[in-house]
Amino acid sequence: MKTFKVLEIKESIFEDNNRQADLLRDELKEKKTFLLNLMSSPGSGKTTTVLRTIDSLKSDMNIAVMEADIDSDVDARAVANTGTKVIQLHTGGMCHLDADMTKQGLTGLGTEDIDFIILENVGNLVCPAEFDTGASKNAMILSVPEGDDKPLKYPLMFSMVDVLLINKIDTIDYFDFDLEAVKVRAQKLNPDIKIIPISAKTGEGIDEWADWIRTEVKKWQE
Ligand SMILES: Nc1nc2c(ncn2[C@@H]2O[C@H](COP(=O)(O)OP(=O)(O)O)[C@@H](O)[C@H]2O)c(=O)[nH]1
Ligand SMILES: [Mg+2]
C-alpha cells in the first residue's frame, strides 16, 4: 500500500500553460494577428530564415519579430537592421518560452496593425516542444549538418509542428543526409506535416515557404 502522495507537478504546469495558450490564441485571432513559433537547435538557421522570410513578405504584410534568447541581443540587432519591428526577450536561463512569456513579449512589442509575427524560440529541440506558446502555427527547422536521425531522437518536436523546414539544403552533397529518410520518419510521427527543403543562404525553397505563410495568414484573418 502506498503511504505517500505523488504530485504530478509537471502535468499541472502543462495544463495551466495550455489554458493560457488557448486564451492567447483567441486574442490573436480576434486581432487578426498571425503568430508563428519557429523552433530548432542552435545554429540550424532560424535567424537567417527569419531575415529571408521578411525579405519575401515585407511588401505583402506588416511583419514583426520576437527574438527569444537566454541572454544575448545578437539576433534582434540583425532583424532591427532590416528596419523590421523587433523585440528581444531574455529568458534568463530558461530553455523555452511559455504562453505567459509570449504574451509579455507581445505586449512589449505592440501588435497594433501587425499581420504576421515570427517568434524565434530559444534554440533547443526538447523544451520548446513541450510548451504551447499560443502561436497560430508551429514550425521547426532541421538543418542538413545536424543529421537525418533527428526525428528518431526528438520525436515530440516533429510530432507537434505544422511545418518542417529542412535548411542548408545547399550543403547536402557534403553530408550523409538522406532527405527521403527524414521525410518518411517525420511523416510517420506526423502524417499532416508540411515539409519544405530550403536554403536560407541561397534562397532555394523560400518561395514555397513564403506562399505557405501567405495562405495561412489569409486564413487566420478571414
Ligand atoms: N550553408 C548554409 N549556411 C546557413 C544556412 N542558413 C544559415 N546558415 C548559417 O548557419 C549559421 C547559423 O545560422 P543562424 O541563422 O544564426 O541560426 P540560429 O542559431 O538557428 O538562429 C550562420 O553561420 C548562417 O550563415 C543555409 O541555408 N546554408
Ligand atoms: Mg538565431
Side-chain angles (χ1 to χ4, degrees):
M1 200 180 73
K2 235 186 231 176
T3 56
F4 51 86
K5 269 191 193 170
V6 176
L7 210 53
E8 302 294 345
I9 294 170
K10 212 172 166 196
E11 240 162 62
S12 76
I13 290 173
F14 288 144
E15 276 170 22
D16 195 38
N17 184 62
N18 288 346
R19 235 184 336 266
Q20 291 191 43
D22 284 339
L23 286 173
L24 181 56
R25 224 177 337 267
D26 290 347
E27 273 177 40
L28 289 166
K29 177 89 183 157
E30 185 77 19
K31 287 184 187 161
K32 298 186 187 291
T33 302
F34 182 91
L35 175 64
L36 179 81
N37 176 24
L38 181 61
M39 297 169 285
S40 81
S41 320
S44 63
K46 290 181 296 302
T47 307
T48 316
T49 302
V50 166
L51 297 175
R52 274 274 175 193
T53 308
I54 290 169
D55 205 42
S56 285
L57 293 171
K58 66 183 177 205
S59 55
D60 301 342
M61 55 183 85
N62 287 331
I63 306 175
V65 175
M66 296 203 292
E67 286 291 345
D69 210 334
I70 288 174
D71 196 23
S72 96
D73 295 343
V74 178
D75 293 345
R77 215 174 296 275
V79 174
N81 284 341
T82 69
T84 306
K85 187 171 185 171
V86 60
I87 189 168
Q88 178 75 55
L89 312 177
H90 284 159
T91 62
M94 299 275 275
C95 57
H96 64 273
L97 284 185
D98 61 19
D100 181 56
M101 291 149 97
T102 305
K103 193 177 161 95
Q104 288 181 48
L106 291 166
T107 306
L109 177 73
T111 58
E112 197 67 22
D113 297 329
I114 301 290
D115 302 296
F116 173 46
I117 300 174
I118 312 174
L119 166 60
E120 178 175 339
N121 211 316
V122 183
N124 185 325
L125 284 180
V126 184
C127 317
E130 295 186 322
F131 285 86
D132 188 345
T133 57
S136 318
K137 293 282 174 185
N138 294 290
M140 72 169 290
I141 298 176
L142 171 66
S143 65
V144 167
E146 291 169 80
D148 54 29
D149 58 354
K150 291 299 168 289
L152 306 173
K153 291 187 174 176
Y154 304 100
L156 183 62
M157 177 61 83
F158 288 82
S159 309
M160 59 80 69
V161 292
D162 301 287
V163 180
L164 164 61
L165 298 175
I166 302 181
N167 190 33
K168 307 195 186 180
I169 207 74
D170 56 289
T171 68
I172 200 152
D173 292 342
Y174 306 102
F175 292 91
D176 291 327
F177 185 92
D178 187 337
L179 183 57
E180 281 316 304
V182 170
K183 288 182 178 172
V184 169
R185 287 167 185 161
Q187 278 159 349
K188 194 171 169 203
L189 293 162
N190 182 348
D192 298 326
I193 196 167
K194 166 101 178 152
I195 303 174
I196 312 176
I198 63 163
S199 168
K201 182 176 176 175
T202 68
E204 184 180 342
I206 296 294
D207 284 349
E208 188 183 352
W209 167 232
D211 281 345
W212 181 85
I213 295 168
R214 272 189 207 95
T215 307
E216 293 301 324
V217 171
K218 206 169 153 209
K219 274 197 245 167
W220 191 254
Q221 294 182 332
E222 269 167 12

